[in-house]
Structures are given as C-alpha cells and as structure tokens.
C-alpha cells in the first residue's frame, strides 16, 4: 500500500508540474520563470522523499531532500539579489546620464 | 528501456507489507494518505493559479502559499505513512521529515518575499482594476 | 533560429534514451561493473578491513585515499588560481570606473530568516560530514553545505558582513590546514611503520583495533577535506562575485 501511494503521488506531482513548466517556458517576465523554478525545486524535495519511499531508504533520501531545499533557498536568494543589483546598476546609469545632461 | 520498466515493476510489486494488521497504524496510514491528497489538492490550486492568474503578483500569491502548504501537507503525510512501528528509528525518521517541513516552512516564504521585492524594485507594476477593465473591453472589441 | 536549436537537443535526447535500453538492470549481478574483480574485492573485504558500513566512503578515503588527497589539492589550487588572477585586477582604474556602492539595504525578513537558518545549516553540515560513514555524505558534501551557509550570510547582508566572520586570509589558512590534516594523517601512518595513508598502523596511537583505527582515520581525513572545501567555496564566491575587489559584490 505504501508503495502504491508513493507511485500515485509521484505521478500526480509530476503531472501537476507540467503547468509550472509551461509558466517557465512562456513566462512574460523573468520573475515568473524564477518563481516556476522555485516551485519545482520545492516539489523536487518532496519527490526525493517519494523516491526514498519507493526504494525503502527514506532515512537516506530525507538528507538529500534537506540539502536540496537548502540549495533551492540559496538559489532563490542569489537570483533575487542579482536582479536587485543589476536593477540598481541600471538606475545608476540612468542617473549618470541625467547628471551629464544637466551639466 | 525494458530494464527500467522491469525495475519499476519490481518496485511496484515489492513486498506487500503486513501493515494494517494492527489497527493503530492503519489509522495513521489513512491519516497520512488523506494529508497527501490534501497536499496534492493545494498543489493543484498553486499550479492552476500559476497558469491562470493575470499578473506576476497574483501568480506569486498562488505559488507561494499553495506551494508551501502543499509541501508541508505532503511531507507530513509521507512521514505518517512510512511510520510502521513505534521504534526509535521510525520516530527519528518522522523527526527528520518534520525537519524538512520546518525548513521549507521557514525558507519558502522568505524566498517568495525576496523575489517579490526584486520584482517590485524592477518597476513590475501590479495589474489594477483599470487595466483589467480596459483589457477586457479590448478583448471584447477584438472578438467582435 | 531559436527553434532550429531544438532539433539537436531532441535528437541527442532521443539518442540518449535509445542508449539507455542497453543499461544493465538495477542491481544486476551480471553487469560488467559487478563482474570486475576489483568490485568483488571491495564488496568482500570492506567489512573485514574496516568497520565502515558505507562501502563508498571506505573506497574513497581508504582504498583510494591518494586520489582523494590530490582531489582536495586540486580544489585548493583552484582557489589559489582564482585568487592570483583576480586579486588586484579590479583596482586598476580602467576608463570610467563605476562605483559599486549600492543603496540596496539588507532586507529585514531575509536577514531574520538567515539568522534563524544558518546555525541549522552549519549543524547539518557537521552531520553530513560525520555521518558519511553510514549514509551518503562526507567531506566534500559537508564542506559544500558549510560554504553555502557563509555564502548565505554574504547574500543576506553584504560581503563585508561575511568577511568579518571569515576573512580571506583566514579562508586560505583553513584550506591549507585541511590539506595538512589529510597529509599529516598519511605521514603519521608512514612514521608508525606502514605505508603512506595506511591508516591501520595508527592502532598504536589509538586505543582501538586496526579496523576501528581505519574508521577514525577516515573521519579525520574527511574533516580535513571539509575544511578545505568549505573555505575554498567561500573564497571563490567572495572573489568572483566582487571581481577580486572584496567590496560590494552581489
């Protein structure tokens, strides 16, 4: 029963990831894409526990799930920070141009 | 490809355990399956929201909330389902899975917040009522 | 033009899937990898030679200890190379130099979460490092998780905030100490009468059997690898994100 539950759960998770992948594909802004990647990363941690249940080694796969969730968090913070920085650089360039015009 | 399939079948028909012989664990398993199905339901909500909502902030709302809650529910369900006895090992397993839940509970909203802030400082404007009205009217005009 | 690039992607993917049907079955005893004499030797003798339950750790740190030592040295050399190339390269004023001082304040919510999460991550890193004997893990993985915690600090506040805790000279000293621990254990076992990295000879120093001496020596070796990997991870991040300036950064 546990195995069937895990198999059905994994298949359903995988099916429900398809709309998210669609959002990554067409996402009008880059933030939409990152959001989709973040959602899939969180769900991958769940999928790792599912695979662990299938292989009867949950205690091993839970460690992978923790480190995957950790790397997902670091990735999201990195990307938001990077976009923040490039945006403020853009601001600064615009300000520099304005300053040059005033002069 | 065949080898993969056969290994998959092995997994599927792997030991049908003797769970359920004792009443208490059957109850735990049923609760776990219910939690898992609820988690799938919330993830369905998140996926549909991510697909259908019109602007970035509403999509982020759907994804952030549904994603965190469904992860918590599904992992808690798996923690209960894989619990077969009350030995030290299975308690440890439950605590480990709950640690993943706690970690996701802390970090997922935070990363949503960081993304939202980055988007807001990129002048990504939320959809207002006026925009919606205009676009609807425009769509209808196009259809006509 | 963008769509044309899908053709090679799909053809390569189809080829890979086509090749996947020739894979041996999962856990097949007749696959070529299982039939080589080396693997059967490891499978038969790991439990006898060492007390380590995880065969991969025993092979990595004991049977192939020499290899792993120079892998660690490669990581160290990579760090030094990046340092040597980037150090001072950003300070030369080339044309109009853009000041990288940004107004982006450290976010309150992110800093609070990071403050909560970083101790947990570091504890998890130690767990991964020390639990490598039983489950997947070990020095490299634990070091990466440890380095990620420092990178998280640098991301949530700024680079200066993390460099106060882990300055670049300290990083390089810790990285060198990691390699010295590894090579020192090897030399120690050589002075005890064995060969280089033959941990079983350490039984004369430790009050344990030969097998348990290998167990503890593998743990020490993993700690050395963890030191090097963690500090080089952070040094690479600090140098690459700020172009060797060690100021501002991501």
């Amino acid at each position: 029963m546990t195995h069937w539950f895990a198999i059905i759960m994994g298949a359903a998770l995988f099916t429900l990831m398809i709309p998210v992948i669609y959002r990554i594909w067409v996402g009008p802004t880059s933030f939409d894409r990152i959001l989709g990647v973040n959602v899939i990363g969180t769900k991958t941690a769940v999928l790792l526990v599912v695979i662990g249940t299938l292989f009867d080694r949950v205690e091993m796969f839970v460690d992978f799930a923790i480190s995957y969730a950790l790397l997902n968090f670091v990735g999201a913070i990195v990307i938001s920070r990077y976009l923040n920085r490039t945006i403020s650089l853009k601001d600064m360039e615009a300000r520099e141009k304005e300053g040059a015009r005033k002069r | 490809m065949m080898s993969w399939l056969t290994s998959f079948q092995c997994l599927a028909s792997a030991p049908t355990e003797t769970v359920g012989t004792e009443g208490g664990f059957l109850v735990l398993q049923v609760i776990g399956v219910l939690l898992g199905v609820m988690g799938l339901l919330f993830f369905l909500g998140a996926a549909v929201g991510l697909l259908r909502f019109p602007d970035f902030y509403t999509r982020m709302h759907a994804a952030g909330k549904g994603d965190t809650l469904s992860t918590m529910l599904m992992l808690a369900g798996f923690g209960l389902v894989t619990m077969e006895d009350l030995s030290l090992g299975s308690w440890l397993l439950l605590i480990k899975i709950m640690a993943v839940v706690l970690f996701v509970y802390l970090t997922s909203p935070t990363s949503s917040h960081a993304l939202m802030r980055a988007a807001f400082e990129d002048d990504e404007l939320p959809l207002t009522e006026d925009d919606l009205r205009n676009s609807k009217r425009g769509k209808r005009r196009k259809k006509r | 033009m963008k769509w044309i690039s899908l053709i090679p992607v799909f053809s390569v993917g189809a080829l890979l899937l086509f090749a996947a049907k020739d894979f041996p079955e999962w856990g097949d005893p007749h696959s070529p990898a299982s039939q080589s004499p080396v693997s059967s030797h490891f499978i038969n003798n790991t439990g006898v030679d060492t007390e380590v339950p995880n065969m991969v750790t025993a092979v990595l740190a004991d049977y192939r200890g020499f290899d792993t030592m120079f892998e660690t040295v490669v990581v160290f050399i990579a760090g030094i190379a990046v340092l040597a190339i980037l150090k001072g390269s950003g300070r030369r004023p080339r044309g109009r130099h853009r000041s990288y001082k940004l107004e982006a304040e450290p976010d309150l919510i992110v800093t609070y979460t990071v403050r909560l999460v970083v101790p947990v991550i570091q504890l998890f890193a130690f767990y991964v490092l020390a639990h490598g004997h039983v489950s997947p893990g070990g020095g490299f993985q634990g070091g990466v998780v440890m380095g990620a915690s420092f990178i998280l600090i640098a991301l949530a506040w700024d680079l200066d905030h993390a460099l106060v805790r882990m300055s670049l000279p300290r990083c390089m000293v810790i990285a060198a100490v990691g390699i010295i621990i590894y090579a020192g254990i090897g030399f120690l076992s050589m002075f005890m009468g064995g060969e280089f990295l033959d941990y079983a000879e350490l039984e004369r120093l430790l009050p344990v059997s030969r097998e348990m001496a290998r167990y503890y020596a593998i743990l020490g070796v993993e700690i050395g690898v963890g030191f090097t990997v963690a500090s080089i991870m952070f040094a690479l991040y600090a140098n690459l994100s700020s172009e060797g300036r060690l100021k501002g950064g991501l």
Side-chain angles (χ1 to χ4, degrees), chain C residues 22-47:
Chain C
D22 284 340
F23 271 156
E25 279 189 38
W26 190 63
D28 184 12
H30 301 296
S31 67
S34 306
Q35 275 184 335
S36 82
V38 183
S39 52
S40 61
H41 176 84
F42 286 149
I43 288 167
N44 290 328
N45 291 23
T46 305

Side-chain angles (χ1 to χ4, degrees), chain B residues 17-33:
Chain B
E17 302 125 27
T18 54
V19 282
T21 51
E22 293 166 63
F25 296 113
L26 189 66
V27 169
L28 271 189
Q29 287 206 333
V30 167
I31 293 174
V33 169

Side-chain angles (χ1 to χ4, degrees), chain B residues 2-13:
Chain B
M2 264 330 277
S3 58
W4 286 11
L5 281 180
T6 47
S7 60
F8 194 66
Q9 280 161 1
C10 283
L11 287 175
S13 59

